[in-house]
Amino acid sequence: HYLHAWRVSSKSTAFSCHVVVPDQPVSSTEKLAGKIRHELLHRFRIDHPVLQFETADCGQGALLCEMACNGESACATKVSYGTSRIKPRVYHFLRLFMGAVWLYASYEKILYPHEFSQAVYNYQILPDIMVNLAALILPCLELLMGLCLITGIWLPGAAVLSTGLMSVFIAALVFNRIRGLDIHCGCFSVEATEGPADLWTVARDTGFMVFSAFLTWKILFSNRSKDH
C-alpha cells in the first residue's frame, strides 16, 4: 500500500511503497526485498525502488497511510490474498456452468425448430414474419455462447450476449405474466409439458442473468483494472 512512482529522468524511475510482512527481524526481509526489486526492474523498468517493510495495520499512527488505504487495515489486504485463490475458481465454475446451461438450452430447439417456433409464437411479442427467423437464430446463438464460454474463445462477446439475452428473456416472461398469458417458457424444452412460466421461472432466469453479469464484469473490467 501507499505506492508512489515518478520519473527521475528520461531513463530512470523512482518508486516507493509500504510492504506488510509477518513480524520478523529486519534482516529477514532482505530476500523478499531482492525479489521485489528484481520484479520492478525487469517488469516495469523501475530502477530506484524504496521499500518500507512494516507489520502494523495500515494507518496505525500514520495519517498519510490512513488516507492512502481509505481507512482499511492491512489485515484486509492479507485476507484478500487468501480469497484471491477462491475468486478464480468461482469465475471458472460460473463460466463453465453458464456454458453448459446455454448448450442444454439449445439442444431441443435445434432438433425441433418447428416446435420451438410455436413456443416463440405463443409469446405474442414478435411479428409473425419474425417468428420463424427468431426460432432459427436463437438456438444457434445459444449453442455458440455455450461453446465460447466453455472453451474460453471470444469470451467478451459471449458474456455480453449472455447477459443481454437473459435480460430479454426475463423481460418477455414478466411482460406475459402482466398480460396474463399462461404459456410455457420454452427455455429448455419445446414440449408444453414443461409447464407454464411462473415466478420460479423468472427467479431462475434472474439467477442466470446475475451469473452472466458477473462474468461480464469479470472479463471486461476486473482483468483490465488488474493490468493497470
Side-chain angles (χ1 to χ4, degrees):
H1 62 275
Y2 199 52
L3 279 72
H4 296 278
W6 64 97
R7 284 283 188 182
V8 177
S9 67
S10 60
K11 296 183 179 180
S12 181
T13 302
F15 174 86
S16 68
C17 73
H18 294 189
V19 184
V20 180
V21 296
D23 194 9
Q24 59 188 289
V26 175
S27 58
S28 300
T29 63
E30 185 56 36
K31 184 176 181 180
L32 175 60
K35 291 182 178 180
I36 295 176
R37 293 190 187 101
H38 180 273
E39 291 296 316
L40 291 173
L41 178 62
H42 290 84
R43 293 182 62 185
F44 304 106
R45 304 301 180 189
I46 294 175
D47 57 349
H48 188 71
V50 177
L51 308 174
Q52 177 178 325
F53 292 93
E54 59 185 38
T55 59
D57 288 346
C58 174
Q60 300 256 337
L63 177 60
L64 291 179
C65 269
E66 187 78 30
M67 295 172 62
C69 295
N70 295 322
E72 297 179 1
S73 65
C75 62
T77 304
K78 294 178 183 177
V79 172
S80 69
Y81 295 154
T83 58
S84 64
R85 298 179 181 178
I86 300 176
K87 290 179 180 179
R89 294 179 183 178
V90 172
Y91 160 71
H92 290 300
F93 170 78
L94 291 179
R95 178 174 63 83
L96 296 176
F97 174 75
M98 287 304 303
V101 167
W102 285 118
L103 288 180
Y104 180 61
S106 68
Y107 176 69
E108 282 199 14
K109 300 170 189 175
I110 292 177
L111 291 181
Y112 308 104
H114 176 72
E115 287 79 359
F116 179 56
S117 66
Q118 183 61 44
V120 175
Y121 173 79
N122 289 339
Y123 273 82
Q124 298 183 21
I125 295 177
L126 295 176
D128 292 349
I129 194 173
M130 296 292 295
V131 169
N132 289 335
L133 184 61
L136 292 175
I137 292 178
L138 281 177
C140 294
L141 285 178
E142 292 175 346
L143 176 63
L144 180 61
M145 283 187 296
L147 293 175
C148 288
L149 289 171
I150 289 178
T151 61
I153 300 174
W154 297 335
L155 280 179
V160 171
L161 188 59
S162 176
T163 305
L165 280 182
M166 277 298 174
S167 302
V168 171
F169 294 161
I170 294 171
L173 290 172
V174 172
F175 181 58
N176 274 346
R177 284 196 59 82
I178 294 175
R179 291 194 296 175
L181 293 182
D182 188 19
I183 61 173
H184 74 282
C185 174
C187 302
F188 298 103
S189 174
V190 297
E191 299 292 336
T193 54
E194 182 186 17
D198 51 14
L199 291 178
W200 156 246
T201 307
V202 176
R204 180 197 63 193
D205 285 2
T206 300
F208 291 153
M209 186 188 69
V210 171
F211 295 159
S212 295
F214 170 78
L215 291 175
T216 302
W217 170 80
K218 188 72 174 175
I219 293 169
L220 295 182
F221 301 106
S222 179
N223 293 335
R224 182 180 301 176
S225 64
K226 289 181 181 180
D227 293 339
H228 291 306

